[in-house]
Amino acid sequence: MTYFPDYFKTYPNMNTSSPLHISLNTLPRGFRPHRHDFLEFSYVIDGMGSEAINEKKHPMSPGTFTFVLPYQVHEIFTTEGSQLQLYNCNFSMELLMEPGTGEGLHTLIDLGGDIPYVQLSGTENERMKELIEDMYREYQGNQPWRQTMLQLRLKEILVMFDRARPRSQPDTAETSSSRKGASLWPIIHYIHQHYQDDLALSDLAKQFSMSMSRISELIKETTGQTFVHFLRDLRIRHACGLLASTDMSVTEIAMEVGYGSYKTFSRVFRESRGLAPKDYRKLKGSQLPLPH
């Protein structure tokens, strides 16, 4: 029997203008195998254990920082007699893909599969801990410019992680295989940049000089979804955020997320969320705001 790990598609604050959530967790017995379609970093502050990412294991101890890409299967193991305490931060890929910037942090996604973690010590570890603790306090509070500060902290943390990674690795069969597996990330990145356009598999085939069937196969293998469903999920997720956090009309939102007509958008939204866009907005508007 084929085993499928848990697939998480949501996290607190996902459908907002700042899709980011950070929490402090204690794991006395590790965490079961799972994957998700968003980004995650973790940082260990106490305890001992290990983590497997796509079946490749690394130790975890105070100062371990791990960067998990979307769709990677990962599992955490706690050493017997210990318990892991760590920060976990879930966030949207969109936070790394700001238009008009020179140095895009999306390159972290292209490279993240090769070196997914670092073991920090000394002043580097002290600085990383300070940044993450400050980010956690900011998240728990409600100060002006909170979203801006959270995104700035996220960028500082990821830049520090990237700088701490080795600049090169031995060209072994294992790393070559990892790079081969990472070849889809430029395609995923391109879809995230252009899902608001009239995007088709033929456009991807032309852009990346690959057959449509091969691109379709890669997307299915990595995400567990067809290209059509993957594209739909990105658009509907964006629409949910706009419905919950803006006063844009539903027709404007339909156009913003890549649908040429209100009728098509409304039908797809209802199929995906089980209710009409206007009803979704009313439901979210009637809910009390979360404390963070």
Side-chain angles (χ1 to χ4, degrees), residues 11 13-19 92 94 147 195 233-248 253 256-257 265 269 273 277 280-281 284-285:
Y11 57 91
N13 291 338
M14 186 182 78
N15 294 326
T16 68
S17 57
S18 183
S92 168
E94 294 174 12
Q147 292 184 6
Y195 69 84
D233 279 2
L234 289 177
R235 288 173 169 173
I236 296 303
R237 181 172 294 180
H238 187 186
C240 286
L242 294 174
L243 287 166
S245 62
T246 75
D247 59 359
M248 293 172 65
I253 289 173
E256 173 68 18
V257 303
F265 169 67
F269 191 95
R273 292 296 187 266
Y280 180 89
R281 168 171 273 168
K284 290 299 177 180

Side-chain angles (χ1 to χ4, degrees), residues 5 7 15 18 31 36 51 57 62 71 110 153 177 194 222 228 234 241 254 271 274 280:
Y7 187 12
N15 294 326
S18 183
F31 198 86
H36 39 67
E51 182 175 26
K57 212 168 188 179
Y71 315 109
D110 300 339
R153 285 290 173 266
S177 174
H194 296 278
T222 303
V228 171
L234 289 177
E271 290 173 357
Y280 180 89

